[in-house]
Structure formats: structure tokens, C-alpha cells
Amino acid sequence: MRSGSVYDAISVRIAEDLGFEVGMFGGSAASLAILGDPDIALITLTELTEQMRRMSRAGSLPVLVDADHGYGNALNVRRTVEELEAAGAAGLTIEDTLLPAAFGEARAQLISAEEGVGKVKAALNARQDPALVIVGRTGAASITSVDDAIARAKSYEAAGVDAVMFTGLKSRAELQAASAATTLPIVLGNPTDDMDWDFLSAQRVRIAIQGHAPISAATAAVHATLKAVREGAGPKELKNLASAELTESVTRGAIVKQRGIDFLGLKK
């Protein structure tokens, strides 16, 4: 399944128009779009939920939300699931990284496997719509070991999650080992260059996250445009602007005009 990175109403509409089957709303993209800050767990559940609500209003594309650590312990995870489900999320991931970072620790750390299981159980208990996808996510491969990542994923599978997500797998052999040890659909963070689509599909990878290139490209475009304006460029000299046709499409201009005719008595 081709996943597009989404972070606001316009990106959801573009991904939908391009035929993506699902959107991935990442915590890092949320932090950058909403706060202008790096991905260090500064964003709050309320801010994340409101952004999800805006995207749900903008389109019908199913969105898988990176819910980080669930914003606290297992009871906070329940609240996280309740809020994101009400905001229209199609699914969410709960990870076993210790967030925010512990005092005096520069390297990423994990919560215990037992606490991770408690969190995914709480997430499953909180959902009201059985169609809401709960994904147990582990970053152990890049923090402790691949074996630990597999053991944690198996425990999340046993707890009843709908899919497991791995980050930090660095080779085809590591992905094959993870796939062989589990039976659920796999969400994979940042596959390596040698993992082609056929290989990923054969390992039950259903969503392969390609990073957050759209928001990175948007940031570069805003910087370049403002720099050109600051240096004296006129409107006709600016490059790489959205065409009137593209703007009309992503803002649903034709639909809005028709509503004006239907409800405001405007003439065609």
C-alpha cells in the first residue's frame, strides 16, 4: 500500500487526488508544521488531535497517526486513542520509546517490554470502532537489538494489535527475520534502498514509510520564495508556484462555487 506523508489539510487533499490509499501523519511532521520545532516530544495530544481533526474535515483519505508513546502511561494511551478516534483517525501507532528523553541521557531509550504490552492493551481497550487500526511499534532494532525488536513485536501481536511496526531494520535479512517471527501485517519505517516493492510485499510489509519528503519540500519552497521576495523579486519572477488549476483543485474551488449557486443564489 502506497503511503503518502500528510501534515495539513492541503497535503491530505493532494495525496487523495493523487490516488494514495493511506496517509501517514508523523509526529515529526506534526511538530514541524504546528510548532516549528524538532521531533523531541514537545507537541501535546490536544495539538496533534486538532491537526488530525482538520485533516479529517478536508478529505476522506484514511490517515495512520504516529501517536508516539501515547502521551504518558497506559492510562494516557487510552485517552490518546479516544481523542484520535473521535478526530477521525483511521489508525494509530503506539511505540515503546521512552519519551520525552530522560534527564542526562543523550541516546534513545526504551520502556520495558511489559510496559509496552500494557500500553497496547490499553489502546485496544479504548477503541470504540473495531475498524480503527492499532499498531504496536518498536524501535528496539536501533536501540537494543533486532532480537529484542522481534520479541517485543511478538508480545504486541499476542496482546491483540492489528499490525506491528518496525523502525531501525537495516537489511533484507533483518526484515526477513522479523517477518518470519510474526504473522501480522508489517508497517516498516524507512526501508533501505535494496528493499524493492516486490521484496517488501513478500515480507508482508503493507505500508513502507518513505520519510517526510513532502513537508521537507514545502519548507524548502517557502524558504526559497520568501528569500526571492526579500531580495526584490516581483510576482512574475517567482518560480515553482502552484498553478491556478492546481490551487483550484486542492481547494475544491468548483465545489465551493456550486455551493454558492445552490445556497447563496449566485449566478453561474
CSV table of all heavy atoms in Angstrom, one decimal, residues 47-75:
chain,number,residue,atom,x,y,z
A,47,GLU,N,-2.9,19.3,20.5
A,47,GLU,CA,-2.4,19.9,19.3
A,47,GLU,C,-2.5,18.8,18.2
A,47,GLU,O,-2.9,19.1,17.0
A,47,GLU,CB,-1.0,20.4,19.5
A,47,GLU,CG,-1.0,21.7,20.3
A,47,GLU,CD,0.4,22.1,20.8
A,47,GLU,OE1,1.2,21.1,21.0
A,47,GLU,OE2,0.6,23.3,21.0
A,48,LEU,N,-2.0,17.6,18.5
A,48,LEU,CA,-2.0,16.6,17.5
A,48,LEU,C,-3.4,16.2,17.0
A,48,LEU,O,-3.7,16.1,15.9
A,48,LEU,CB,-1.3,15.3,18.1
A,48,LEU,CG,-1.2,14.1,17.1
A,48,LEU,CD1,0.0,14.3,16.2
A,48,LEU,CD2,-1.0,12.8,17.9
A,49,THR,N,-4.3,16.1,18.0
A,49,THR,CA,-5.7,15.8,17.7
A,49,THR,C,-6.4,16.8,16.9
A,49,THR,O,-7.1,16.5,15.9
A,49,THR,CB,-6.5,15.6,19.0
A,49,THR,OG1,-5.9,14.5,19.8
A,49,THR,CG2,-7.9,15.2,18.8
A,50,GLU,N,-6.2,18.1,17.2
A,50,GLU,CA,-6.8,19.2,16.4
A,50,GLU,C,-6.3,19.2,15.0
A,50,GLU,O,-7.1,19.4,14.0
A,50,GLU,CB,-6.5,20.5,17.1
A,50,GLU,CG,-7.4,20.8,18.3
A,50,GLU,CD,-8.9,20.7,17.9
A,50,GLU,OE1,-9.4,21.3,17.0
A,50,GLU,OE2,-9.6,19.8,18.6
A,51,GLN,N,-5.0,18.9,14.8
A,51,GLN,CA,-4.5,18.8,13.4
A,51,GLN,C,-5.1,17.6,12.7
A,51,GLN,O,-5.5,17.7,11.5
A,51,GLN,CB,-3.0,18.7,13.4
A,51,GLN,CG,-2.3,18.9,12.1
A,51,GLN,CD,-2.3,20.3,11.6
A,51,GLN,OE1,-3.0,21.2,12.1
A,51,GLN,NE2,-1.4,20.6,10.7
A,52,MET,N,-5.3,16.5,13.4
A,52,MET,CA,-6.0,15.4,12.8
A,52,MET,C,-7.4,15.7,12.4
A,52,MET,O,-7.9,15.3,11.3
A,52,MET,CB,-5.9,14.2,13.7
A,52,MET,CG,-6.6,12.9,13.2
A,52,MET,SD,-5.7,12.2,11.8
A,52,MET,CE,-6.9,12.5,10.5
A,53,ARG,N,-8.1,16.4,13.3
A,53,ARG,CA,-9.5,16.8,13.0
A,53,ARG,C,-9.6,17.7,11.8
A,53,ARG,O,-10.5,17.5,10.9
A,53,ARG,CB,-10.0,17.6,14.2
A,53,ARG,CG,-11.6,17.6,14.3
A,53,ARG,CD,-12.0,18.4,15.5
A,53,ARG,NE,-11.4,18.1,16.7
A,53,ARG,CZ,-11.7,17.0,17.4
A,53,ARG,NH1,-12.7,16.2,17.1
A,53,ARG,NH2,-11.1,16.8,18.6
A,54,ARG,N,-8.7,18.6,11.6
A,54,ARG,CA,-8.7,19.5,10.4
A,54,ARG,C,-8.4,18.6,9.1
A,54,ARG,O,-9.1,18.9,8.1
A,54,ARG,CB,-7.6,20.5,10.5
A,54,ARG,CG,-7.8,21.5,11.7
A,54,ARG,CD,-6.7,22.6,11.7
A,54,ARG,NE,-6.9,23.5,12.8
A,54,ARG,CZ,-6.1,23.4,13.9
A,54,ARG,NH1,-5.1,22.5,14.0
A,54,ARG,NH2,-6.3,24.2,14.9
A,55,MET,N,-7.6,17.7,9.2
A,55,MET,CA,-7.3,16.8,8.0
A,55,MET,C,-8.5,15.9,7.7
A,55,MET,O,-8.8,15.7,6.6
A,55,MET,CB,-6.0,16.0,8.3
A,55,MET,CG,-4.8,16.8,8.3
A,55,MET,SD,-3.2,15.8,8.2
A,55,MET,CE,-3.2,15.1,9.8
A,56,SER,N,-9.2,15.4,8.8
A,56,SER,CA,-10.4,14.6,8.5
A,56,SER,C,-11.5,15.4,7.8
A,56,SER,O,-12.2,14.9,7.0
A,56,SER,CB,-10.9,14.1,9.9
A,56,SER,OG,-10.0,13.2,10.5
A,57,ARG,N,-11.6,16.7,8.2
A,57,ARG,CA,-12.6,17.6,7.6
A,57,ARG,C,-12.2,17.8,6.1
A,57,ARG,O,-13.1,17.9,5.3
A,57,ARG,CB,-12.6,18.9,8.3
A,57,ARG,CG,-13.5,19.9,7.7
A,57,ARG,CD,-13.3,21.3,8.3
A,57,ARG,NE,-14.0,22.4,7.5
A,57,ARG,CZ,-13.5,22.9,6.4
A,57,ARG,NH1,-12.3,22.5,6.0
A,57,ARG,NH2,-14.1,23.8,5.8
A,58,ALA,N,-10.9,17.8,5.8
A,58,ALA,CA,-10.5,18.2,4.5
A,58,ALA,C,-10.7,17.1,3.4
A,58,ALA,O,-10.8,17.4,2.2
A,58,ALA,CB,-9.0,18.6,4.5
A,59,GLY,N,-10.7,15.9,3.9
A,59,GLY,CA,-10.8,14.8,2.9
A,59,GLY,C,-11.2,13.5,3.6
A,59,GLY,O,-11.3,13.4,4.8
A,60,SER,N,-11.3,12.4,2.8
A,60,SER,CA,-11.7,11.1,3.3
A,60,SER,C,-10.6,10.1,3.3
A,60,SER,O,-10.8,8.9,3.5
A,60,SER,CB,-12.9,10.6,2.4
A,60,SER,OG,-12.5,10.5,1.1
A,61,LEU,N,-9.4,10.6,3.0
A,61,LEU,CA,-8.2,9.7,2.9
A,61,LEU,C,-8.0,9.1,4.3
A,61,LEU,O,-7.9,9.8,5.3
A,61,LEU,CB,-6.9,10.5,2.5
A,61,LEU,CG,-5.7,9.6,2.4
A,61,LEU,CD1,-5.7,8.8,1.1
A,61,LEU,CD2,-4.4,10.6,2.4
A,62,PRO,N,-7.9,7.8,4.4
A,62,PRO,CA,-7.6,7.2,5.8
A,62,PRO,C,-6.2,7.6,6.2
A,62,PRO,O,-5.2,7.6,5.4
A,62,PRO,CB,-7.6,5.7,5.5
A,62,PRO,CG,-8.4,5.5,4.2
A,62,PRO,CD,-8.1,6.7,3.4
A,63,VAL,N,-6.1,8.0,7.4
A,63,VAL,CA,-4.8,8.5,8.0
A,63,VAL,C,-4.4,7.7,9.2
A,63,VAL,O,-5.1,7.5,10.1
A,63,VAL,CB,-4.9,10.0,8.4
A,63,VAL,CG1,-3.6,10.5,9.0
A,63,VAL,CG2,-5.2,10.9,7.1
A,64,LEU,N,-3.1,7.2,9.1
A,64,LEU,CA,-2.5,6.5,10.2
A,64,LEU,C,-1.7,7.5,11.0
A,64,LEU,O,-0.8,8.1,10.4
A,64,LEU,CB,-1.6,5.4,9.7
A,64,LEU,CG,-0.8,4.5,10.7
A,64,LEU,CD1,-1.8,3.8,11.6
A,64,LEU,CD2,0.1,3.6,10.0
A,65,VAL,N,-1.9,7.7,12.2
A,65,VAL,CA,-1.3,8.7,13.0
A,65,VAL,C,-0.2,8.1,13.9
A,65,VAL,O,-0.3,7.1,14.5
A,65,VAL,CB,-2.3,9.4,14.0
A,65,VAL,CG1,-1.6,10.5,14.8
A,65,VAL,CG2,-3.5,9.9,13.2
A,66,ASP,N,1.0,8.8,13.8
A,66,ASP,CA,2.1,8.4,14.7
A,66,ASP,C,1.7,9.1,16.1
A,66,ASP,O,1.9,10.2,16.3
A,66,ASP,CB,3.4,9.0,14.2
A,66,ASP,CG,4.6,8.9,15.1
A,66,ASP,OD1,4.4,8.2,16.2
A,66,ASP,OD2,5.6,9.5,14.8
A,67,ALA,N,1.2,8.2,17.0
A,67,ALA,CA,0.8,8.7,18.3
A,67,ALA,C,1.9,8.6,19.3
A,67,ALA,O,1.7,8.7,20.5
A,67,ALA,CB,-0.4,8.0,18.8
A,68,ASP,N,3.2,8.5,18.9
A,68,ASP,CA,4.3,8.5,19.7
A,68,ASP,C,4.1,7.5,20.9
A,68,ASP,O,3.8,6.3,20.6
A,68,ASP,CB,4.6,9.9,20.3
A,68,ASP,CG,5.2,10.8,19.2
A,68,ASP,OD1,5.8,10.3,18.2
A,68,ASP,OD2,5.0,12.0,19.3
A,69,HIS,N,4.4,7.9,22.1
A,69,HIS,CA,4.3,7.0,23.3
A,69,HIS,C,2.9,7.0,23.9
A,69,HIS,O,2.7,6.4,25.0
A,69,HIS,CB,5.4,7.4,24.3
A,69,HIS,CG,5.2,8.8,24.8
A,69,HIS,ND1,4.9,9.9,24.0
A,69,HIS,CD2,5.2,9.3,26.1
A,69,HIS,CE1,4.8,11.0,24.7
A,69,HIS,NE2,4.9,10.7,26.0
A,70,GLY,N,2.0,7.6,23.2
A,70,GLY,CA,0.6,7.7,23.8
A,70,GLY,C,0.5,8.9,24.8
A,70,GLY,O,-0.5,8.9,25.5
A,71,TYR,N,1.5,9.7,24.9
A,71,TYR,CA,1.5,10.9,25.7
A,71,TYR,C,1.4,10.6,27.2
A,71,TYR,O,0.7,11.3,28.0
A,71,TYR,CB,0.4,11.9,25.3
A,71,TYR,CG,0.7,12.3,23.9
A,71,TYR,CD1,0.2,11.6,22.8
A,71,TYR,CD2,1.5,13.4,23.6
A,71,TYR,CE1,0.5,12.0,21.5
A,71,TYR,CE2,1.8,13.8,22.3
A,71,TYR,CZ,1.3,13.1,21.3
A,71,TYR,OH,1.6,13.5,20.0
A,72,GLY,N,2.1,9.5,27.6
A,72,GLY,CA,2.1,9.2,29.0
A,72,GLY,C,2.1,7.7,29.3
A,72,GLY,O,2.6,6.9,28.4
A,73,ASN,N,1.5,7.3,30.4
A,73,ASN,CA,1.5,5.9,30.7
A,73,ASN,C,0.3,5.2,30.0
A,73,ASN,O,-0.4,5.8,29.1
A,73,ASN,CB,1.4,5.6,32.2
A,73,ASN,CG,0.2,6.2,32.9
A,73,ASN,OD1,-0.8,6.4,32.2
A,73,ASN,ND2,0.3,6.5,34.2
A,74,ALA,N,-0.1,4.0,30.4
A,74,ALA,CA,-1.1,3.2,29.7
A,74,ALA,C,-2.5,3.9,29.8
A,74,ALA,O,-3.3,3.9,28.9
A,74,ALA,CB,-1.2,1.8,30.2
A,75,LEU,N,-2.7,4.6,30.9
A,75,LEU,CA,-4.0,5.3,31.0
A,75,LEU,C,-4.1,6.5,30.1
A,75,LEU,O,-5.1,6.9,29.6
A,75,LEU,CB,-4.2,5.7,32.5
A,75,LEU,CG,-4.3,4.6,33.5
A,75,LEU,CD1,-4.6,5.1,34.9
A,75,LEU,CD2,-5.3,3.5,33.1
